[in-house]
Amino acid sequence: MAWVSTAELAAAVSEAGGLGIIGSGQAPPDWVRGQVRRARELTARPFGVNVMLRSPFVDAVMQVLLEERVPVITTGAGNPGKYLPDLQAAGIRVIPVVSSVALAKRLVRSGVDALVAEGMESGGHVGELGTLPLVPQIVDAVNVPVIAAGGIFDGRGLAAALMLGAAGVQMGTRFMCATECTIHPAVKEMIIRAKDRDTVVTGRPTGHPVRVLRNKLSRQFEELESRCAPVEELEKLGTGRLKAAMVDGDVEYGSVMAGQVSAMVREIQPAREIIRDVVRGAAELLSRAGQWVVARE
């Protein structure tokens, strides 16, 4: 959600009763500080920041978040263990995103507060397991709250995640079409037009596969991968392409990171309306859950 979940979207989600997350990506520390302060201008409610641990600015960004006393940090692409003592001493909750049971166990041993179990249906960087088998395995393996992510669009997804043992859900793709999301309108239009098979995973040879909406860039990746191009060539092709899509609106040669639920998004809505729809839908389903239980004879 780098270049996607800015202060405006995060604040709107928090104002609506969720926990908005600013995506810091590989942004420099001054940008992150500005986003945190902008979010505080827009909401008095808690919000968080996602930190990509492979960012060249990760140490400086963590220092900014310590100084700003951000309530929650989610992390991706690594182990935040070395930052935990200082963050938790400052009262900051640390919630890594994981895609395997082994990583979940390792991070819980390091002392994290909760986990986001993210299935491969999600947009952006993905693992190999789907949400449905991943979430209950991680729930059974750890003793901290687990938040489900990947392939969740409406109340049906929230209800299913809760039945799998999750404490809540993390959603990205649907919020790309929130009114408050500042990405280029061309990206929102592309998501709304998407069909069920319009996402593809590229970049597996690099060790960091990414789910995107199919376009000319994804076909270039597929062609390079088919002829076993060097990893360096693949990485060069991908450099700067996320910003090109989300900020500049290049939906042909930009990296349009979005999940499989793109095919379910049909309109642009305020964040509050999205959250209300998800929560009400789940509540209605769960209230009727007893009807589907077969009584013992």
Side-chain angles (χ1 to χ4, degrees), residues 184-201:
H184 198 282
V187 178
K188 295 186 180 186
E189 182 182 351
M190 189 178 186
I191 292 171
I192 289 171
R193 293 199 321 265
K195 305 301 181 186
D196 57 342
R197 298 178 64 189
D198 280 353
T199 68
V200 62
V201 176

Side-chain angles (χ1 to χ4, degrees), residues 89-172:
I92 298 172
R93 301 294 178 91
V94 181
I95 308 176
V97 178
V98 299
S99 58
S100 72
V101 173
L103 180 58
K105 288 181 175 179
R106 185 159 72 248
L107 292 175
V108 168
R109 285 196 298 269
S110 74
V112 301
D113 297 288
L115 296 169
V116 175
E118 185 178 70
M120 55 86 67
E121 301 93 328
S122 63
H125 294 280
V126 296
E128 294 297 329
L129 290 177
T131 302
L132 200 63
L134 177 67
V135 171
Q137 290 185 70
I138 290 182
V139 167
D140 290 347
V142 301
N143 59 357
V144 299
V146 175
I147 298 155
I152 297 166
F153 171 78
D154 57 15
R156 292 171 292 182
L158 172 55
L162 295 175
M163 291 299 94
L164 293 173
V169 297
Q170 175 176 279
M171 297 170 58

Side-chain angles (χ1 to χ4, degrees), residues 124-128 201-211:
H125 294 280
V126 296
E128 294 297 329
V201 176
T202 63
R204 281 195 172 95
T206 70
H208 303 286
V210 174
R211 183 176 297 284

